[in-house]
Amino acid sequence: MKQPTFLFIALLLFSFPFLSGGVELSIESQFTISMLLVFTIGIAHGSVDNLLYLKKSKMKPVRFYLIYLILVGIYAATWFIFPLFALTLFLLISAYHFGQSQLTDCFKESKFSHKLLYALWGIALISALINLKQEEVIAMFNPHHDLRVVTTLVGSSYVNAIHIGSSIFVAILMLYFVATNKLRSDRLLFEIFILIAINVSFAVLPV
């Protein structure tokens, strides 16, 4: 079991008795805890992406950072001009990244079907949070004028269908990989367990 996965399960089990038993955390408290995690674990996790990429690529560091900054600039401009498109693009890229990070060790090759599974796994993850906490997410962003565009996306009536549909397709694809001996059956059961645990945590814990 991966260390981050073990920590997630351990923290989830530890938090249930406190947060699912009627204890409420204000949005301000949740924000403080979340920012603490982002600025510690989150930044540490993302800060080595450049090292990992440059280790596998022959690209020179100067060129890598130049392309990186140009892409950041283009995305920032897109956010101000077409915020809803920029947000959708961000969620899709994040979804693929989540799935790839979780499942990339399952396959030795990188085929389209594998990439499709990565994307669907991540979409199932993100749509679960939005679907199960839709009212809270909307209430969190509504007071902020520059973030109200988010409610247009997360308040969509299609969120529930995306959540259920992507979860089903993840299960079907993984069953196909097991049937074709591309994936071990115990890994299938583990990933289903993880998705269930994530959905449960979204359902019972604060947003």
Side-chain angles (χ1 to χ4, degrees):
M1 184 185 297
K2 297 178 183 178
Q3 188 177 18
T5 305
F6 172 77
L7 289 173
F8 163 71
I9 296 173
L11 288 171
L12 179 62
L13 293 174
F14 176 77
S15 63
F16 273 161
F18 298 96
L19 300 178
S20 62
V23 177
E24 293 187 9
L25 287 177
S26 66
I27 287 294
E28 290 76 16
S29 299
Q30 294 179 52
F31 183 78
T32 301
I33 295 170
S34 299
M35 287 301 98
L36 179 63
L37 292 172
V38 166
F39 282 105
T40 52
I41 298 173
I43 289 180
H45 168 74
S47 64
V48 297
D49 284 352
N50 58 326
L51 301 177
L52 294 173
Y53 181 83
L54 290 172
K55 186 177 181 181
K56 297 179 181 179
S57 171
K58 295 181 180 179
M59 186 183 296
K60 293 182 179 181
V62 174
R63 185 184 178 191
F64 171 85
Y65 293 120
L66 182 62
I67 293 174
Y68 183 86
L69 290 174
I70 289 173
L71 289 174
V72 169
I74 292 173
Y75 183 79
T78 305
W79 177 270
F80 283 105
I81 301 170
F82 307 108
L84 193 58
F85 170 78
L87 175 64
T88 304
L89 181 63
F90 172 75
L91 290 176
L92 289 174
I93 293 174
S94 297
Y96 180 83
H97 176 66
F98 293 156
Q100 185 184 37
S101 299
Q102 179 70 14
L103 303 168
T104 189
D105 63 307
C106 293
F107 310 105
K108 295 180 180 179
E109 301 174 339
S110 184
K111 296 182 178 180
F112 173 77
S113 56
H114 303 155
K115 294 179 179 179
L116 179 61
L117 178 61
Y118 301 156
L120 287 171
W121 197 97
I123 290 171
L125 181 75
I126 293 175
S127 62
L129 173 62
I130 296 173
N131 186 39
L132 296 172
K133 292 295 181 183
Q134 195 172 52
E135 292 183 6
E136 290 183 48
V137 171
I138 292 174
M140 185 170 21
F141 289 120
N142 260 339
H144 308 282
H145 176 73
D146 57 332
L147 294 176
R148 284 178 190 161
V149 65
V150 177
T151 62
T152 306
L153 187 62
V154 303
S156 169
S157 58
Y158 298 106
V159 171
N160 183 62
I162 293 172
H163 175 205
I164 302 301
S166 58
S167 300
I168 291 173
F169 277 113
V170 165
I172 291 174
L173 257 181
M174 295 191 80
L175 282 169
Y176 166 75
F177 288 133
V178 170
T180 55
N181 296 317
K182 298 293 191 307
L183 185 70
R184 301 193 316 270
S185 57
D186 60 329
R187 184 59 184 266
L188 167 65
L189 295 175
F190 177 75
E191 291 303 328
I192 291 176
F193 166 75
I194 287 296
L195 281 175
I196 292 174
I198 290 173
N199 274 265
V200 170
S201 69
F202 288 162
V204 303
L205 299 179
V207 67

